[in-house]
Amino acid sequence: MDKEIRLIGVFDSGIGGLTVFKELNRKLPEMRIVYLGDTARVPYGVKSKETVVRYSMEAARFLTRKGVDLIVVACNTSSALAMDQLRKSFDIPIIGVIEAGARRACGLTRSKRIGVIGTHATVKSEAYRNEIQKIMPGADVRQLACPLFVPLVEEGWTDNKIARNIAEVYLDELKRADVDTLILGCTHYPLLKKTIAEVMGAGVKLIDSAESIADDVWQMLYGSEKREEGGQIKNSLQSFSEPELRFYVTDSTERFIEVGSVFLGFEIRNPQIVDITGE
């Protein structure tokens, strides 16, 4: 069945997925986008696989009730642990940041030594390593959890001495491993890109999963024809004079507005609090 994409749904465990939302909106300014941040239950990165799958299913069900035609899983932990169940359960295209980031890294590495930084759950899942080695057998993948990066970003400490010192401690292992490509495997991390780049050095390419997945969605809509499970996706060239950007959260909106507006570079207005736990 041909499927025309009119409304994109994006979900994340909280605020970080707004980096994905921002890139989608930049790359596809004519597209209507709905964002859900599960701010009542953030972070997903410290929870069990069963819990992450349940939360991800609830988020996807909420978005389908809003009429989305495509779901972008902006949360790396959900992408690592819940993609199989999500794709089995819904008949619309669902894409995640891990596949997009892995493809970009494999396309750019010269030495086949690729670093990945993310949450404990993302690293433990081995999802990036498995995806990279599926694309590039023999790749040397070094993974590292950097849990303090998230609170640094949410405090706005992305380009100061504290951020630099923490990045130097975390990333020393990857520098010594001589990786030439580094995947920022958490949606918060692109806001630390300048600091991470300075620590890693000019010879290391940084892979921003938000940019990668936005490119994938653009290609899906406007590029060469591509098949997904459940049918062929049809190019959607309809233009919207006033793109619809809607924000939903599962807890208080104040923090989401404050930090999220920094992520996006414009003020978030009127996010709605919703309960996604019901059917």
Side-chain angles (χ1 to χ4, degrees):
M1 176 185 294
D2 286 349
K3 182 68 176 178
E4 186 174 16
I5 308 300
R6 295 177 177 272
L7 179 62
I8 296 174
V10 180
F11 80 81
D12 183 56
S13 59
I15 297 172
L18 288 172
T19 56
V20 173
F21 179 97
K22 180 179 181 179
E23 285 301 317
L24 286 169
N25 188 42
R26 184 184 67 82
K27 192 81 173 178
L28 301 161
E30 76 289 352
M31 186 61 63
R32 298 162 62 216
I33 308 174
V34 175
Y35 182 88
L36 170 65
D38 192 6
T39 49
R41 303 186 293 195
V42 66
Y44 285 6
V46 297
K47 295 178 171 61
S48 68
K49 177 178 179 178
E50 293 74 20
T51 297
V52 172
V53 170
R54 175 162 55 88
Y55 289 177
S56 301
M57 290 289 291
E58 289 172 350
R61 277 195 290 267
F62 172 82
L63 290 173
T64 58
R65 290 197 295 271
K66 294 299 176 184
V68 303
D69 306 301
L70 164 70
I71 293 177
V72 174
V73 182
C75 176
N76 277 268
T77 304
S78 289
S79 292
L81 302 179
M83 288 298 293
D84 287 345
Q85 187 61 47
L86 288 168
R87 284 175 170 158
K88 289 176 184 175
S89 303
F90 299 93
D91 61 358
I92 61 174
I94 299 177
I95 61 175
V97 287
I98 286 177
E99 294 163 332
R103 278 195 298 274
R104 177 69 65 87
C106 289
L108 291 178
T109 184
R110 302 177 306 280
S111 67
K112 293 189 177 182
R113 289 190 294 273
I114 299 172
V116 179
I117 54 176
T119 66
H120 284 295
T122 298
V123 169
K124 185 179 178 181
S125 75
E126 298 283 341
Y128 271 109
R129 186 193 304 277
N130 293 339
E131 189 65 28
I132 290 167
Q133 293 183 338
K134 184 168 69 177
I135 300 167
M136 181 178 283
D140 180 5
V141 183
R142 305 296 180 96
Q143 301 185 102
L144 189 67
C146 301
L148 290 179
F149 280 174
V150 170
L152 280 176
V153 168
E154 296 205 353
E155 286 298 326
W157 294 356
T158 58
D159 187 20
N160 61 17
K161 186 179 294 186
I162 295 173
R164 173 82 185 212
N165 289 344
I166 291 173
E168 286 177 344
V169 172
Y170 273 149
L171 299 174
D172 181 64
E173 178 182 332
L174 296 178
K175 289 183 69 176
R176 285 187 285 108
D178 201 25
V179 300
D180 73 349
T181 307
L182 178 62
I183 297 174
L184 308 182
C186 173
T187 48
H188 282 71
Y189 295 0
L191 278 80
L192 285 161
K193 191 183 295 185
K194 180 176 182 289
T195 296
I196 292 171
E198 289 173 354
V199 171
M200 292 302 297
V204 178
K205 297 181 177 67
L206 301 187
I207 307 300
D208 182 340
S209 295
E211 294 176 355
S212 301
I213 204 165
D215 287 343
D216 278 9
V217 174
W218 189 94
Q219 184 72 17
M220 183 183 291
L221 296 178
Y222 303 128
S224 59
E225 292 183 349
K226 179 177 180 180
R227 289 190 174 275
E228 292 282 347
E229 290 182 20
Q232 183 173 325
I233 298 170
K234 183 180 178 182
N235 285 355
S236 174
L237 296 174
Q238 179 173 351
S239 178
F240 296 89
S241 56
E242 294 184 6
E244 183 179 350
L245 309 178
R246 284 185 281 162
F247 300 93
Y248 297 95
V249 293
T250 56
D251 200 4
S252 172
T253 62
E254 291 181 9
R255 181 72 171 166
F256 183 80
I257 292 171
E258 177 187 355
V259 179
S261 296
V262 174
F263 273 46
L264 294 178
F266 63 82
E267 184 180 357
I268 296 174
R269 297 181 180 179
N270 303 317
Q272 298 179 42
I273 300 177
V274 293
D275 178 5
I276 68 172
T277 60
E279 293 293 330

